[in-house]
Amino acid sequence: MCTGIKMDYPESCVLGRTMDIEAPVDYNVIYQPRNYPCADNLLGGKHLSRYQIMGVGFRNQDPLKDGINEHGLIGVTNDFGGFNLFASQADPDKTNLSSYHFMNYVLANFRSVEELLEALPQLHLSSHDSQGNKVIAPDFHFMFADSSQRCVVIEPYQQTLKVYANPYNVMTNSPKFPSHEKYLLDLFDLQNLDDFNGAKALPGGYDPKSRFVKAFYQSQNSLVPEDSQTALGYLFRVLSAVALPQGFIKNQKFHSITFTQYISAYNSQDKTLYVQAVDNPTVYRLSFGDIDDLSKRQSFYLEENFTYQNFI
């Protein structure tokens, strides 16, 4: 139940997401240095990182749910239901990973979307390691963008990874990306968006297809950002429009509620992270230049309770 949105400005882009979870979970910002064990190698040992990365993870554990690297490659991970998504065996001739570590590996080892796509045929996602042991392999799909404003969605399909160019700059959850695209094109004439009465006819639900349409329409109809700060302002406003309030969706399976735990955003040009907690309107910022010791893994925590600043 998450939504990712990219928004361009003249020099680059910003990309952000809502993190919608079925049960409360602790989360925090994590920085990982170069040469860090960024992902499990399913053939044995660890994959090491070439680049510095930072982003948001759960319970101070290394796999990031969204993040950015020192070259401005940004990625987000969303739930994606399906069957037979991943191979059940490791491939000794390829780089072997689980979906759990795929985001970390990509951010830690590629400078751009183009580099990632060139290497993608050699990346193998499996639900088991080379010894036949089952590994953590969540049903995830991924969206990546960089300072060139290129944006792609990568989805597992019949034990392979399928790439979709993403001119809509949006990703939600299942179904597959082409289904979202078809639903969107059935609703809109993309050349004449002004003919659509969004105030009356825009889908109002929070299912993945409705959020895909709503996020696309609102981001497309925002004013053209003049710079990164304007783009971030527009991005947070649109992400807030698709965020889930606490108590809105009851989750019987977990005897809990599904809600937006945080909103995060990344600026590809200056390699900066921005994050906002569910109950705290304050937006917290972190860049690589703010970190004192770039040779060590570090954790950062934000104030989750409501905070404000006095005018005087």
Side-chain angles (χ1 to χ4, degrees), residues 37-78:
C38 62
D40 291 344
N41 183 346
L42 300 188
L43 298 181
K46 300 283 186 178
H47 295 291
L48 299 182
S49 60
R50 299 174 63 191
Y51 307 121
Q52 301 163 351
I53 68 174
M54 65 177 173
V56 184
F58 291 167
R59 305 182 187 91
N60 199 26
Q61 295 178 358
D62 282 336
L64 301 180
K65 307 306 177 186
D66 45 87
I68 190 170
N69 70 17
E70 61 180 285
H71 294 284
L73 178 64
I74 310 169
V76 300
T77 296
N78 279 4

Side-chain angles (χ1 to χ4, degrees), residues 29-33 52-55 68 271 273 285-300:
V29 172
I30 299 167
Y31 163 77
Q32 297 172 14
Q52 301 163 351
I53 68 174
M54 65 177 173
I68 190 170
K271 296 82 177 175
L273 172 157
R285 174 189 179 277
L286 182 70
S287 71
F288 291 104
D290 296 326
I291 300 172
D292 290 333
D293 189 349
L294 291 170
S295 67
K296 297 180 180 179
R297 181 195 188 276
Q298 299 194 39
S299 305
F300 303 89

Side-chain angles (χ1 to χ4, degrees), residues 14-15 46 51 67 96 181 297:
V14 294
L15 188 153
K46 300 283 186 178
Y51 307 121
N96 288 261
E181 183 175 44
R297 181 195 188 276

Side-chain angles (χ1 to χ4, degrees), residues 120-253:
L120 197 64
Q122 292 304 311
L123 302 184
H124 180 73
L125 298 193
S126 174
S127 59
H128 293 74
D129 65 18
S130 59
Q131 304 301 312
N133 300 309
K134 192 171 183 179
V135 299
I136 300 173
D139 293 346
F140 284 160
H141 63 163
F142 312 89
M143 181 162 71
F144 294 97
D146 60 26
S147 59
S148 72
Q149 303 179 348
R150 189 174 182 181
C151 183
V152 297
V153 168
I154 298 177
E155 293 182 346
Y157 176 70
Q158 294 184 349
Q159 304 183 16
T160 63
L161 291 173
K162 195 166 182 63
V163 178
Y164 299 98
N166 186 5
Y168 315 108
N169 297 325
V170 174
M171 181 177 73
T172 55
N173 310 100
S174 299
K176 294 183 291 185
F177 187 80
S179 296
H180 288 293
E181 183 175 44
K182 182 178 184 305
Y183 182 52
L184 185 76
L185 297 179
D186 286 344
L187 281 176
F188 300 132
D189 175 358
L190 297 187
Q191 305 304 315
N192 296 286
L193 279 181
D194 289 343
D195 293 343
F196 183 83
N197 189 337
K200 292 183 178 181
L202 193 65
Y206 285 85
D207 61 285
K209 281 191 174 183
S210 295
R211 283 184 286 111
F212 191 99
V213 167
K214 189 186 304 183
F216 167 78
Y217 184 80
Q218 292 202 11
S219 59
Q220 284 294 115
N221 281 279
S222 296
L223 298 177
V224 177
E226 300 173 355
D227 50 35
S228 63
Q229 292 302 104
T230 308
L232 283 163
Y234 292 165
L235 180 63
F236 268 92
R237 180 58 60 90
V238 177
L239 287 169
S240 296
V242 294
L244 301 175
Q246 290 200 62
F248 180 65
I249 296 180
K250 306 295 189 298
N251 191 306
Q252 302 301 324
K253 178 180 178 182

Side-chain angles (χ1 to χ4, degrees), residues 82-88 156-160:
F83 300 96
N84 196 34
L85 295 180
F86 305 115
S88 58
Y157 176 70
Q158 294 184 349
Q159 304 183 16
T160 63

